[in-house]
Amino acid sequence: MNTPLPNIDLQTVYYALAAVVLPFTAFLVNLFISGKNSKISGWVSTGAILVSAVFAVMVFGRVWNSHAIHAQQLWFTIGQTPVYAGVWLNNLSVLMLLLVTVIALPVHVYSTAYIKTHENNRYFTYLSLFCFSMLALVVVDSLVLLYAFWELVGFSSYLLIGFWFTRDSAVQANKKAFIMNRIGDIGLLTAIIILFSQYHTFDLIQLFGDNGLVVKSIIKNDRWIGPVSQIAATWQYVACIGIFLAVAAKSAQFPLHTWLPDAMEGPTSVSALIHAATMVAAGVFLLGRVYPMFNIQELDALAVIGCFTAFMAATIALTQNDLKRILAYSTISQLGYMIMAMGINAYASSLFHLVTHAFFKCLLFLCSGVIIHEMQHIKEENQLDIDPQNILYMGGLRKKLPITFIACVIGCLALVGLPLTSGYLSKDGILIQSFEWAEGRSTWGYLIPVGIMLTSCLTAFYVARLIFKVFFGKFRLKEILPDVHLHISDGGWQYTLPLIFLSLCSLFPLFSLNPFLYEHAWLYKGFVPSNYLARESIYHTIIPVIINLASVFVAYWAYAVYIQQRKLVFPQTSFLFRLSYNQWYIDAFYRKVIANAAVQLGQVLFWLDRNVVDGLVHLLTKVTGWLSALTAWTDRYIVDGTLHLIAAIASAIGNFFRSFQGGKVQYYLFSMLAVILALFIIKLLI
């Protein structure tokens, strides 16, 4: 575990900043300097991520299990509260820094051959921005900066998912991903506001750190117990719900998981990066960063949701025929493992599985990219109208793509969690600790470990189904069209070298010299107490392995033996099959209920806006016009008329009396006589 360092190691901080900034430099070079169709764009980005990986290795060597480093500088103030911007390097951040760069490097090399020349510059510009966003996200020490780069990761993925913007499906997919993630972003922003209002700081060290430790926790009854936050209970729950929404959106957990399968519309190399170490990993990373704020009840909720998501996604993957969608649902399922592990206090195992999953899932996506690329070549060469991602058109490809076949088998073995692979070590830890967590609880508590065990069994089945349908038997397209030409291969070194590298990283020696005990893995030891005692027995690992092997055998019997008789082992008319094939109808529910309700609400609001709001505005306009006309008439005929009448009367009176001043004496005498006569008459009348 990390211990505090009195003096800041600025050299390590500079190395970390260099690792972060280099992809951004490549982004600027490709954006402003490289030509639109320049082939050099790919190598600019690849060179930048290579050097970034070197710096990440140096930072990792200096910080891992050694000391935590926190360097910050005053950014701005809110009233009397200073807000700092800085870097927090501990076991979690340097592990993610290394993982992102090491995974991104083979993806970049692969992409230099995978992406066509005329799309080269734009693709690598987006890819470099994506890597920069994720690298910055994992090292910042402030919730403000974390939120900024969290948003930038989402924006970068939006650009990459919709990379082929001329396809309507790609445009719809990136919009869906963007909207789903906005829901999570609202939750994260709410949590940040609550935390700041309670503690008056955005500093992650002050909020969640304890002398530089990743997890502020205590050991009680051999379990990790997160401390109850000091926030008032109601606000604490709201903040945790906000964090969960953010995690569920980024890491594709129920109920915000439906965007990830649609994100397969982006280039396969992008899918490899998103599913391995960037976007979907950001949710688990965030959970690791803020882990101390969750109390026991909230962790239990995480365990239930993670377990359900893992099981649900595994059942959906059983019946999918799109190669990339199978892997996408597999990712959702494995992320469910990680969230569930966090919920059962298996913090170290969750992060361990995050890292191992990154390697073998990236490997599987790159393998699928080779397969789809060659199927697309067959489609174009023979002028066929087929879906190159549909595994029903494949079969027997192991002879044509031997390197891809071996790499894909290694990745699938790691995904299943069979011995001698890295996936075995990380999944074994989660399975064992789930049963330990259930001990002492009610019978309902065992639904979590049983559900995860069943999910592991389903994983073995759909993975075996994929292998048998793609690589074994006869090439089914040739059975339909005997004259089809097959001129395919594994491709050049830009394809094969990343596959070989990731295959080696998916085996056990990278993490532990003992292939059977996860407690001996160096990564696991980095997140448990120094006095932790490892098991010396592998008894608990035998049953999961036997169950998974049995599941693989059932898949072999169903798809490699029995199917040769042209019979379907599993009826495709049953309710369970339709439930799985239609993805539990969740996406359909969102479209028909939520989306339609939103559209109808929009239409109602549009009607109200046009007929009520605009009508009221127009009515007020008319009333104002009428009032103006009435006011003008009143002003002209009443006010001005009264003034003109008074003036006319005054003028008439003046003229009348002026007529008596003509200068003739007889008129004056006559006037005097008339006045005296009038007075005399009045006197008589009175």
Side-chain angles (χ1 to χ4, degrees):
M1 304 291 283
N2 295 104
T3 54
L5 184 68
N7 299 317
I8 297 176
D9 184 355
L10 290 179
Q11 189 175 23
T12 304
V13 173
Y14 294 149
Y15 287 160
L17 291 176
V20 173
V21 171
L22 277 167
F24 184 71
T25 305
F27 161 74
L28 295 177
V29 170
N30 289 334
L31 184 63
F32 295 111
I33 299 177
S34 296
K36 183 177 180 181
N37 297 324
S38 176
K39 294 182 180 180
I40 200 173
S41 300
W43 296 112
V44 168
S45 294
T46 303
I49 202 67
L50 173 61
V51 180
S52 182
V54 172
F55 280 118
V57 170
M58 297 169 66
V59 172
F60 184 83
R62 287 167 172 259
V63 176
W64 181 258
N65 273 354
S66 176
H67 54 265
I69 298 175
H70 182 211
Q72 61 180 194
Q73 188 172 358
L74 181 64
W75 188 9
F76 60 89
T77 59
I78 301 177
Q80 300 298 320
T81 305
V83 178
Y84 295 90
V87 173
W88 181 17
L89 301 176
N90 58 7
N91 277 3
L92 177 60
S93 55
V94 299
L95 177 65
M96 292 299 298
L97 188 73
L98 179 64
L99 180 65
V100 173
T101 54
V102 171
I103 291 295
L105 180 58
V107 171
H108 276 71
V109 174
Y110 183 96
S111 298
T112 57
Y114 190 78
I115 299 299
K116 296 179 181 179
T117 303
H118 69 278
E119 299 165 333
N120 195 289
N121 179 264
R122 183 165 59 91
Y123 172 83
F124 282 102
T125 300
Y126 294 168
L127 198 64
S128 293
L129 179 64
F130 193 27
C131 292
F132 160 71
S133 306
M134 188 65 193
L135 290 171
L137 174 68
V138 301
V139 300
V140 295
D141 70 336
S142 167
L143 282 173
V144 175
L145 287 173
L146 185 144
Y147 185 77
F149 289 113
W150 181 272
E151 290 291 327
L152 196 54
V153 167
F155 174 69
S156 305
S157 66
Y158 170 82
L159 295 175
L160 288 168
I161 293 170
F163 179 74
W164 286 310
F165 56 86
T166 55
R167 301 179 184 175
D168 182 68
S169 56
V171 174
Q172 297 300 324
N174 71 352
K175 285 197 299 185
K176 186 175 183 178
F178 193 81
I179 292 171
M180 281 286 190
N181 278 275
R182 294 294 70 72
I183 298 173
D185 296 343
I186 293 173
L188 178 58
L189 182 60
T190 302
I192 291 174
I193 292 172
I194 291 173
L195 289 171
F196 180 76
S197 66
Q198 296 291 326
Y199 294 109
H200 307 291
T201 181
F202 293 109
D203 195 299
L204 287 167
I205 304 292
Q206 297 183 33
L207 290 171
F208 306 111
D210 183 15
N211 298 325
L213 296 177
V214 176
V215 182
K216 181 183 178 182
S217 57
I218 59 174
I219 294 182
K220 183 178 180 181
N221 299 326
D222 297 327
R223 294 177 182 170
W224 288 98
I225 306 295
V228 177
S229 173
Q230 298 301 312
I231 303 177
T234 301
W235 289 116
Q236 196 263 348
Y237 288 136
V238 174
C240 286
I241 291 172
I243 293 294
F244 169 74
L245 285 175
V247 172
K250 273 290 191 290
S251 292
Q253 295 297 286
F254 177 83
L256 302 178
H257 65 282
T258 57
W259 68 268
L260 190 57
D262 290 353
M264 298 302 96
E265 291 296 333
T268 305
S269 50
V270 170
S271 301
L273 195 57
I274 289 177
H275 286 248
T278 50
M279 188 165 179
V280 298
V284 181
F285 167 79
L286 174 65
L287 196 56
R289 267 296 198 226
V290 303
Y291 192 69
M293 73 180 290
F294 287 85
N295 60 35
I296 301 301
Q297 292 76 21
E298 292 154 354
L299 290 176
D300 289 347
L302 285 179
V304 172
I305 294 172
C307 180
F308 174 76
T309 303
F311 174 76
M312 175 197 64
T315 60
I316 295 174
L318 292 173
T319 58
Q320 302 303 305
N321 295 320
D322 186 300
L323 179 57
K324 290 175 67 176
R325 289 183 77 87
I326 295 173
L327 296 179
Y329 278 107
S330 170
T331 298
I332 297 173
S333 182
Q334 298 304 306
L335 290 168
Y337 271 88
M338 301 171 205
I339 301 300
M340 188 277 295
M342 287 286 186
I344 63 172
N345 301 303
Y347 183 90
S349 292
S350 178
L351 296 177
F352 189 10
H353 195 53
L354 173 66
V355 175
T356 61
H357 174 265
F359 285 107
F360 62 71
K361 186 52 61 69
C362 184
L363 172 62
L364 288 173
F365 267 107
L366 295 187
C367 287
S368 71
V370 174
I371 296 168
I372 294 168
H373 183 272
E374 297 306 315
M375 290 296 295
Q376 181 69 27
H377 179 70
I378 294 173
K379 173 184 176 180
E380 293 174 354
E381 182 182 8
N382 297 274
Q383 298 181 347
L384 303 175
D385 184 18
I386 62 170
D387 180 6
Q389 297 182 187
N390 195 326
I391 62 175
L392 299 181
Y393 294 117
M394 303 175 190
L397 294 181
R398 71 183 187 280
K399 298 177 182 178
K400 296 288 184 179
L401 308 173
I403 297 177
T404 305
F405 167 66
I406 295 172
C408 193
V409 168
I410 292 174
C412 287
L413 291 176
L415 176 58
V416 173
L418 294 181
L420 306 183
T421 65
S422 60
Y424 168 80
L425 292 171
S426 57
K427 285 184 69 174
D428 186 48
I430 295 175
L431 287 171
I432 291 175
Q433 290 173 80
S434 67
F435 279 99
E436 293 176 349
W437 173 85
E439 292 178 2
R441 293 175 177 264
S442 64
T443 305
W444 293 104
Y446 279 92
L447 289 177
I448 298 295
V450 171
I452 286 297
M453 182 71 74
L454 182 57
T455 301
S456 179
C457 177
L458 296 175
T459 302
F461 184 88
Y462 71 71
V463 165
R465 172 180 178 264
L466 185 151
I467 290 293
F468 294 137
K469 277 190 170 290
V470 173
F471 293 106
F472 287 84
K474 297 180 180 180
F475 188 59
R476 296 175 186 85
L477 192 58
K478 198 170 184 64
E479 293 181 348
I480 302 172
L481 302 170
D483 297 331
V484 68
H485 299 288
L486 299 178
H487 301 125
I488 59 176
S489 65
D490 288 304
W493 67 270
Q494 291 150 288
Y495 287 123
T496 57
L497 185 60
L499 298 186
I500 294 172
F501 170 75
L502 292 169
S503 297
L504 294 175
C505 293
S506 298
L507 300 175
F508 74 91
L510 180 64
F511 299 97
S512 174
L513 296 179
N514 188 325
F516 300 108
L517 297 177
Y518 68 88
E519 298 94 335
H520 289 196
W522 59 267
L523 195 155
Y524 183 82
K525 293 178 180 178
F527 295 104
V528 295
S530 56
N531 60 351
Y532 180 79
L533 298 177
R535 288 178 305 139
E536 297 299 335
S537 171
I538 62 170
Y539 171 75
H540 293 86
T541 66
I542 296 176
I543 295 178
V545 171
I546 293 175
I547 292 176
N548 289 340
L549 288 175
S551 186
V552 171
F553 175 77
V554 172
Y556 172 75
W557 170 76
Y559 296 106
V561 177
Y562 196 68
I563 201 171
Q564 300 299 325
Q565 303 176 19
R566 310 291 183 184
K567 296 180 180 180
L568 293 174
V569 180
F570 304 103
Q572 298 187 7
T573 57
S574 66
F575 169 75
L576 292 178
F577 180 89
R578 286 184 280 111
L579 181 68
S580 170
Y581 187 77
N582 292 288
Q583 305 158 51
W584 282 44
Y585 297 100
I586 296 174
D587 209 26
F589 172 78
Y590 286 163
R591 283 197 311 272
K592 295 181 179 180
V593 178
I594 305 298
N596 286 348
V599 171
Q600 291 174 3
L601 177 61
Q603 292 173 344
V604 170
L605 293 176
F606 177 75
W607 184 89
L608 290 173
D609 180 66
R610 169 166 290 185
N611 296 280
V612 178
V613 178
D614 289 354
L616 180 61
V617 171
H618 294 156
L619 177 61
L620 290 175
T621 302
K622 292 180 180 179
V623 170
T624 303
W626 295 336
L627 289 175
S628 299
L630 179 61
T631 303
W633 184 89
T634 302
D635 181 68
R636 173 172 292 182
Y637 294 103
I638 303 300
V639 178
D640 290 352
T642 302
L643 293 175
H644 292 324
L645 177 62
I646 294 172
I649 293 172
S651 178
I653 294 173
N655 291 332
F656 174 75
F657 284 105
R658 187 168 60 246
S659 64
F660 295 103
Q661 304 297 324
K664 295 181 178 181
V665 175
Q666 60 269 27
Y667 285 160
Y668 297 156
L669 294 174
F670 178 76
S671 299
M672 293 173 60
L673 179 61
V675 171
I676 293 171
L677 182 60
L679 291 174
F680 181 75
I681 293 172
I682 294 172
K683 184 66 176 177
L684 290 176
L685 293 174
I686 297 175

